[in-house]
Amino acid sequence: MMTSFLEKYSDNISLDCIRRVIELNRSKYDLKNNSHLLPAVERLKNLNAPQFNPVEGTDVFFDSKTIKEIESIAKSLGKWRKGPYHLGPLHIDSEWRSDIKWDKISKKIPSLGDKIILDIGCNNGYFMFQMEKQRPKSVLGIDPVNYCEAQFNFLQHFMKSPNLFFEMLGINDVSAFSDLFDGIFNMGIIYHHPNPIDQLKRCHQALRKGGFIVLESITIPGNQSIALFPEDRYAKMRNVWFVPTQKCLESWLHKAKFKNIELAFDTKLTSNEQRVTTWSPGASLMDFLDPEDNSLTVEKYPAPRRAALIAYK
């Protein structure tokens, strides 16, 4: 069932198209045998909790029995890639210190108060919960991954925000929206797409006139408008099509008709921001870099930087 957010703006959304995509993604969700997530949903129903924002809930009190149950549910929902979250004394230490990225971006973006926002590839909604502090009118997060939705619903159980919505949609589905959003966050998505210009044109179409986009990406160093096209993998990732310079990101935005492009940040990615934790075991940034020269990936490409640009329609 679609959220009330989508029904409310039917003049700006191809609802039939969106319905079909959501139903398809739901069927994929069922086929992938993700039944291990269902018990957590049921356990949440029996968990009474005060309302608080999970990105800043350090002052919330839970008794020891309740906090053990919260921790058990959270750990049943898979790896925590984005965070951190604070649920009283429970600290979910995610692979990505998303708060570092948010601190860099939040100082540069326009006010989100009473705005309609789209967060593409929202994962478990970390940036959405940060946005909520500014009282936006609505924030729609999209990500066609079931465990991301499960983690979002877990966190929303505490947040209880009437303005945050999650749908299992992807970047290609943004073409179903037109002149709707005041702001679009496209962070960590563009290099996973074989046609970056097409992706940005979809975002341009979905924005209202005067609306803004935050475009954040892995980048490589350099002053020319060029992009690396990995032969196979980049930093062990299979699904990386292009790794642009900051100047190339600007050129892509120009090609998609965005204007007034501003740099939010351009910094080297370090293990302070992305690393292995007990909440996200396995491999992380340092495993993807050349052990003898951290300025290179294991494939001998330039090691990743991260850059974010803000542009307007």
PDB file of all heavy atoms in Angstrom, residues 254-276:
ATOM      1  N   HIS A 254      25.657  20.854 -15.046  1.00  0.00           N
ATOM      2  CA  HIS A 254      25.405  21.824 -16.125  1.00  0.00           C
ATOM      3  C   HIS A 254      24.661  21.160 -17.281  1.00  0.00           C
ATOM      4  O   HIS A 254      23.707  21.727 -17.823  1.00  0.00           O
ATOM      5  CB  HIS A 254      26.726  22.407 -16.630  1.00  0.00           C
ATOM      6  CG  HIS A 254      27.269  23.525 -15.797  1.00  0.00           C
ATOM      7  ND1 HIS A 254      26.584  24.708 -15.595  1.00  0.00           N
ATOM      8  CD2 HIS A 254      28.442  23.635 -15.116  1.00  0.00           C
ATOM      9  CE1 HIS A 254      27.293  25.503 -14.831  1.00  0.00           C
ATOM     10  NE2 HIS A 254      28.428  24.890 -14.516  1.00  0.00           N
ATOM     11  N   LYS A 255      25.091  19.966 -17.664  1.00  0.00           N
ATOM     12  CA  LYS A 255      24.451  19.258 -18.777  1.00  0.00           C
ATOM     13  C   LYS A 255      22.981  18.972 -18.484  1.00  0.00           C
ATOM     14  O   LYS A 255      22.147  18.906 -19.399  1.00  0.00           O
ATOM     15  CB  LYS A 255      25.175  17.936 -19.045  1.00  0.00           C
ATOM     16  CG  LYS A 255      26.578  18.077 -19.603  1.00  0.00           C
ATOM     17  CD  LYS A 255      26.587  18.480 -21.068  1.00  0.00           C
ATOM     18  CE  LYS A 255      27.995  18.430 -21.637  1.00  0.00           C
ATOM     19  NZ  LYS A 255      28.023  18.863 -23.059  1.00  0.00           N
ATOM     20  N   ALA A 256      22.660  18.776 -17.198  1.00  0.00           N
ATOM     21  CA  ALA A 256      21.275  18.487 -16.799  1.00  0.00           C
ATOM     22  C   ALA A 256      20.483  19.761 -16.521  1.00  0.00           C
ATOM     23  O   ALA A 256      19.373  19.691 -15.980  1.00  0.00           O
ATOM     24  CB  ALA A 256      21.266  17.572 -15.574  1.00  0.00           C
ATOM     25  N   LYS A 257      21.048  20.941 -16.862  1.00  0.00           N
ATOM     26  CA  LYS A 257      20.369  22.240 -16.786  1.00  0.00           C
ATOM     27  C   LYS A 257      20.266  22.803 -15.368  1.00  0.00           C
ATOM     28  O   LYS A 257      19.432  23.684 -15.105  1.00  0.00           O
ATOM     29  CB  LYS A 257      18.962  22.175 -17.401  1.00  0.00           C
ATOM     30  CG  LYS A 257      18.915  21.620 -18.822  1.00  0.00           C
ATOM     31  CD  LYS A 257      19.771  22.417 -19.783  1.00  0.00           C
ATOM     32  CE  LYS A 257      19.670  21.873 -21.204  1.00  0.00           C
ATOM     33  NZ  LYS A 257      20.561  22.590 -22.147  1.00  0.00           N
ATOM     34  N   PHE A 258      21.092  22.319 -14.446  1.00  0.00           N
ATOM     35  CA  PHE A 258      21.124  22.925 -13.111  1.00  0.00           C
ATOM     36  C   PHE A 258      21.977  24.191 -13.153  1.00  0.00           C
ATOM     37  O   PHE A 258      22.889  24.329 -13.979  1.00  0.00           O
ATOM     38  CB  PHE A 258      21.700  21.941 -12.088  1.00  0.00           C
ATOM     39  CG  PHE A 258      20.722  20.890 -11.653  1.00  0.00           C
ATOM     40  CD1 PHE A 258      20.734  19.633 -12.235  1.00  0.00           C
ATOM     41  CD2 PHE A 258      19.769  21.154 -10.668  1.00  0.00           C
ATOM     42  CE1 PHE A 258      19.836  18.652 -11.840  1.00  0.00           C
ATOM     43  CE2 PHE A 258      18.866  20.191 -10.275  1.00  0.00           C
ATOM     44  CZ  PHE A 258      18.896  18.932 -10.862  1.00  0.00           C
ATOM     45  N   LYS A 259      21.687  25.113 -12.226  1.00  0.00           N
ATOM     46  CA  LYS A 259      22.365  26.403 -12.207  1.00  0.00           C
ATOM     47  C   LYS A 259      22.860  26.726 -10.782  1.00  0.00           C
ATOM     48  O   LYS A 259      22.508  26.048  -9.818  1.00  0.00           O
ATOM     49  CB  LYS A 259      21.419  27.499 -12.702  1.00  0.00           C
ATOM     50  CG  LYS A 259      20.854  27.229 -14.097  1.00  0.00           C
ATOM     51  CD  LYS A 259      20.050  28.392 -14.617  1.00  0.00           C
ATOM     52  CE  LYS A 259      19.462  28.084 -15.986  1.00  0.00           C
ATOM     53  NZ  LYS A 259      20.478  27.761 -17.004  1.00  0.00           N
ATOM     54  N   ASN A 260      23.658  27.773 -10.700  1.00  0.00           N
ATOM     55  CA  ASN A 260      24.157  28.279  -9.405  1.00  0.00           C
ATOM     56  C   ASN A 260      24.783  27.162  -8.570  1.00  0.00           C
ATOM     57  O   ASN A 260      24.421  26.929  -7.415  1.00  0.00           O
ATOM     58  CB  ASN A 260      23.033  28.959  -8.622  1.00  0.00           C
ATOM     59  CG  ASN A 260      22.393  30.104  -9.379  1.00  0.00           C
ATOM     60  OD1 ASN A 260      23.072  30.805 -10.124  1.00  0.00           O
ATOM     61  ND2 ASN A 260      21.095  30.284  -9.212  1.00  0.00           N
ATOM     62  N   ILE A 261      25.732  26.483  -9.158  1.00  0.00           N
ATOM     63  CA  ILE A 261      26.358  25.326  -8.524  1.00  0.00           C
ATOM     64  C   ILE A 261      27.372  25.788  -7.473  1.00  0.00           C
ATOM     65  O   ILE A 261      28.222  26.646  -7.748  1.00  0.00           O
ATOM     66  CB  ILE A 261      27.049  24.442  -9.580  1.00  0.00           C
ATOM     67  CG1 ILE A 261      26.011  23.968 -10.613  1.00  0.00           C
ATOM     68  CG2 ILE A 261      27.732  23.246  -8.920  1.00  0.00           C
ATOM     69  CD1 ILE A 261      26.620  23.295 -11.828  1.00  0.00           C
ATOM     70  N   GLU A 262      27.249  25.213  -6.276  1.00  0.00           N
ATOM     71  CA  GLU A 262      28.132  25.565  -5.164  1.00  0.00           C
ATOM     72  C   GLU A 262      28.783  24.300  -4.607  1.00  0.00           C
ATOM     73  O   GLU A 262      28.157  23.240  -4.568  1.00  0.00           O
ATOM     74  CB  GLU A 262      27.337  26.244  -4.040  1.00  0.00           C
ATOM     75  CG  GLU A 262      26.532  27.459  -4.482  1.00  0.00           C
ATOM     76  CD  GLU A 262      25.567  27.922  -3.405  1.00  0.00           C
ATOM     77  OE1 GLU A 262      25.607  27.356  -2.291  1.00  0.00           O
ATOM     78  OE2 GLU A 262      24.766  28.835  -3.675  1.00  0.00           O
ATOM     79  N   LEU A 263      29.999  24.437  -4.143  1.00  0.00           N
ATOM     80  CA  LEU A 263      30.702  23.319  -3.513  1.00  0.00           C
ATOM     81  C   LEU A 263      30.386  23.291  -2.028  1.00  0.00           C
ATOM     82  O   LEU A 263      30.549  24.298  -1.329  1.00  0.00           O
ATOM     83  CB  LEU A 263      32.216  23.453  -3.716  1.00  0.00           C
ATOM     84  CG  LEU A 263      33.087  22.396  -3.024  1.00  0.00           C
ATOM     85  CD1 LEU A 263      32.841  21.019  -3.628  1.00  0.00           C
ATOM     86  CD2 LEU A 263      34.560  22.778  -3.116  1.00  0.00           C
ATOM     87  N   ALA A 264      29.924  22.137  -1.539  1.00  0.00           N
ATOM     88  CA  ALA A 264      29.692  21.972  -0.101  1.00  0.00           C
ATOM     89  C   ALA A 264      30.947  21.458   0.581  1.00  0.00           C
ATOM     90  O   ALA A 264      31.346  21.956   1.633  1.00  0.00           O
ATOM     91  CB  ALA A 264      28.524  21.017   0.150  1.00  0.00           C
ATOM     92  N   PHE A 265      31.583  20.445  -0.011  1.00  0.00           N
ATOM     93  CA  PHE A 265      32.861  19.962   0.508  1.00  0.00           C
ATOM     94  C   PHE A 265      33.528  19.067  -0.531  1.00  0.00           C
ATOM     95  O   PHE A 265      32.884  18.545  -1.439  1.00  0.00           O
ATOM     96  CB  PHE A 265      32.693  19.221   1.840  1.00  0.00           C
ATOM     97  CG  PHE A 265      31.965  17.899   1.740  1.00  0.00           C
ATOM     98  CD1 PHE A 265      32.633  16.725   1.382  1.00  0.00           C
ATOM     99  CD2 PHE A 265      30.606  17.806   2.022  1.00  0.00           C
ATOM    100  CE1 PHE A 265      31.967  15.503   1.287  1.00  0.00           C
ATOM    101  CE2 PHE A 265      29.931  16.594   1.937  1.00  0.00           C
ATOM    102  CZ  PHE A 265      30.619  15.436   1.569  1.00  0.00           C
ATOM    103  N   ASP A 266      34.813  18.873  -0.383  1.00  0.00           N
ATOM    104  CA  ASP A 266      35.600  17.955  -1.202  1.00  0.00           C
ATOM    105  C   ASP A 266      36.763  17.492  -0.334  1.00  0.00           C
ATOM    106  O   ASP A 266      37.720  18.245  -0.115  1.00  0.00           O
ATOM    107  CB  ASP A 266      36.105  18.652  -2.469  1.00  0.00           C
ATOM    108  CG  ASP A 266      36.904  17.708  -3.368  1.00  0.00           C
ATOM    109  OD1 ASP A 266      37.011  16.510  -3.039  1.00  0.00           O
ATOM    110  OD2 ASP A 266      37.435  18.182  -4.393  1.00  0.00           O
ATOM    111  N   THR A 267      36.687  16.285   0.201  1.00  0.00           N
ATOM    112  CA  THR A 267      37.667  15.810   1.164  1.00  0.00           C
ATOM    113  C   THR A 267      38.040  14.358   0.894  1.00  0.00           C
ATOM    114  O   THR A 267      37.272  13.602   0.291  1.00  0.00           O
ATOM    115  CB  THR A 267      37.129  15.908   2.610  1.00  0.00           C
ATOM    116  OG1 THR A 267      35.910  15.155   2.701  1.00  0.00           O
ATOM    117  CG2 THR A 267      36.860  17.348   3.001  1.00  0.00           C
ATOM    118  N   LYS A 268      39.197  13.970   1.369  1.00  0.00           N
ATOM    119  CA  LYS A 268      39.625  12.582   1.282  1.00  0.00           C
ATOM    120  C   LYS A 268      38.791  11.734   2.229  1.00  0.00           C
ATOM    121  O   LYS A 268      38.497  12.128   3.359  1.00  0.00           O
ATOM    122  CB  LYS A 268      41.105  12.474   1.649  1.00  0.00           C
ATOM    123  CG  LYS A 268      41.654  11.059   1.582  1.00  0.00           C
ATOM    124  CD  LYS A 268      43.122  11.025   2.003  1.00  0.00           C
ATOM    125  CE  LYS A 268      43.659   9.595   1.985  1.00  0.00           C
ATOM    126  NZ  LYS A 268      45.079   9.546   2.417  1.00  0.00           N
ATOM    127  N   LEU A 269      38.375  10.567   1.770  1.00  0.00           N
ATOM    128  CA  LEU A 269      37.639   9.640   2.618  1.00  0.00           C
ATOM    129  C   LEU A 269      38.622   8.890   3.504  1.00  0.00           C
ATOM    130  O   LEU A 269      39.613   8.335   3.021  1.00  0.00           O
ATOM    131  CB  LEU A 269      36.842   8.650   1.757  1.00  0.00           C
ATOM    132  CG  LEU A 269      36.023   7.599   2.508  1.00  0.00           C
ATOM    133  CD1 LEU A 269      34.971   8.246   3.387  1.00  0.00           C
ATOM    134  CD2 LEU A 269      35.382   6.622   1.530  1.00  0.00           C
ATOM    135  N   THR A 270      38.357   8.853   4.812  1.00  0.00           N
ATOM    136  CA  THR A 270      39.252   8.188   5.751  1.00  0.00           C
ATOM    137  C   THR A 270      38.485   7.177   6.593  1.00  0.00           C
ATOM    138  O   THR A 270      37.243   7.145   6.609  1.00  0.00           O
ATOM    139  CB  THR A 270      39.923   9.200   6.699  1.00  0.00           C
ATOM    140  OG1 THR A 270      38.936   9.706   7.629  1.00  0.00           O
ATOM    141  CG2 THR A 270      40.530  10.365   5.923  1.00  0.00           C
ATOM    142  N   SER A 271      39.234   6.383   7.335  1.00  0.00           N
ATOM    143  CA  SER A 271      38.634   5.363   8.195  1.00  0.00           C
ATOM    144  C   SER A 271      37.954   5.975   9.414  1.00  0.00           C
ATOM    145  O   SER A 271      37.299   5.266  10.184  1.00  0.00           O
ATOM    146  CB  SER A 271      39.681   4.349   8.643  1.00  0.00           C
ATOM    147  OG  SER A 271      40.759   5.002   9.307  1.00  0.00           O
ATOM    148  N   ASN A 272      38.088   7.273   9.593  1.00  0.00           N
ATOM    149  CA  ASN A 272      37.309   7.937  10.640  1.00  0.00           C
ATOM    150  C   ASN A 272      35.838   8.002  10.261  1.00  0.00           C
ATOM    151  O   ASN A 272      34.958   8.043  11.128  1.00  0.00           O
ATOM    152  CB  ASN A 272      37.848   9.350  10.882  1.00  0.00           C
ATOM    153  CG  ASN A 272      37.160  10.049  12.035  1.00  0.00           C
ATOM    154  OD1 ASN A 272      36.945   9.470  13.099  1.00  0.00           O
ATOM    155  ND2 ASN A 272      36.817  11.318  11.848  1.00  0.00           N
ATOM    156  N   GLU A 273      35.581   7.990   8.943  1.00  0.00           N
ATOM    157  CA  GLU A 273      34.207   8.119   8.445  1.00  0.00           C
ATOM    158  C   GLU A 273      33.604   6.787   8.017  1.00  0.00           C
ATOM    159  O   GLU A 273      32.383   6.607   8.093  1.00  0.00           O
ATOM    160  CB  GLU A 273      34.181   9.107   7.274  1.00  0.00           C
ATOM    161  CG  GLU A 273      32.793   9.463   6.793  1.00  0.00           C
ATOM    162  CD  GLU A 273      32.789  10.592   5.776  1.00  0.00           C
ATOM    163  OE1 GLU A 273      33.874  11.163   5.510  1.00  0.00           O
ATOM    164  OE2 GLU A 273      31.712  10.916   5.246  1.00  0.00           O
ATOM    165  N   GLN A 274      34.415   5.863   7.547  1.00  0.00           N
ATOM    166  CA  GLN A 274      33.925   4.562   7.099  1.00  0.00           C
ATOM    167  C   GLN A 274      34.858   3.479   7.641  1.00  0.00           C
ATOM    168  O   GLN A 274      36.036   3.453   7.294  1.00  0.00           O
ATOM    169  CB  GLN A 274      33.867   4.477   5.567  1.00  0.00           C
ATOM    170  CG  GLN A 274      33.254   3.167   5.064  1.00  0.00           C
ATOM    171  CD  GLN A 274      33.399   2.985   3.567  1.00  0.00           C
ATOM    172  OE1 GLN A 274      34.190   3.658   2.921  1.00  0.00           O
ATOM    173  NE2 GLN A 274      32.650   2.048   3.006  1.00  0.00           N
ATOM    174  N   ARG A 275      34.277   2.572   8.467  1.00  0.00           N
ATOM    175  CA  ARG A 275      35.104   1.536   9.077  1.00  0.00           C
ATOM    176  C   ARG A 275      34.260   0.374   9.546  1.00  0.00           C
ATOM    177  O   ARG A 275      33.035   0.466   9.633  1.00  0.00           O
ATOM    178  CB  ARG A 275      35.934   2.089  10.226  1.00  0.00           C
ATOM    179  CG  ARG A 275      35.111   2.503  11.457  1.00  0.00           C
ATOM    180  CD  ARG A 275      34.571   3.921  11.361  1.00  0.00           C
ATOM    181  NE  ARG A 275      34.030   4.369  12.616  1.00  0.00           N
ATOM    182  CZ  ARG A 275      32.769   4.190  13.041  1.00  0.00           C
ATOM    183  NH1 ARG A 275      31.921   3.529  12.283  1.00  0.00           N
ATOM    184  NH2 ARG A 275      32.375   4.643  14.212  1.00  0.00           N
ATOM    185  N   VAL A 276      34.933  -0.737   9.885  1.00  0.00           N
ATOM    186  CA  VAL A 276      34.255  -1.916  10.422  1.00  0.00           C
ATOM    187  C   VAL A 276      33.864  -1.641  11.873  1.00  0.00           C
ATOM    188  O   VAL A 276      34.633  -1.042  12.637  1.00  0.00           O
ATOM    189  CB  VAL A 276      35.183  -3.147  10.358  1.00  0.00           C
ATOM    190  CG1 VAL A 276      34.545  -4.345  11.067  1.00  0.00           C
ATOM    191  CG2 VAL A 276      35.501  -3.489   8.912  1.00  0.00           C
TER     192      VAL A 276
END
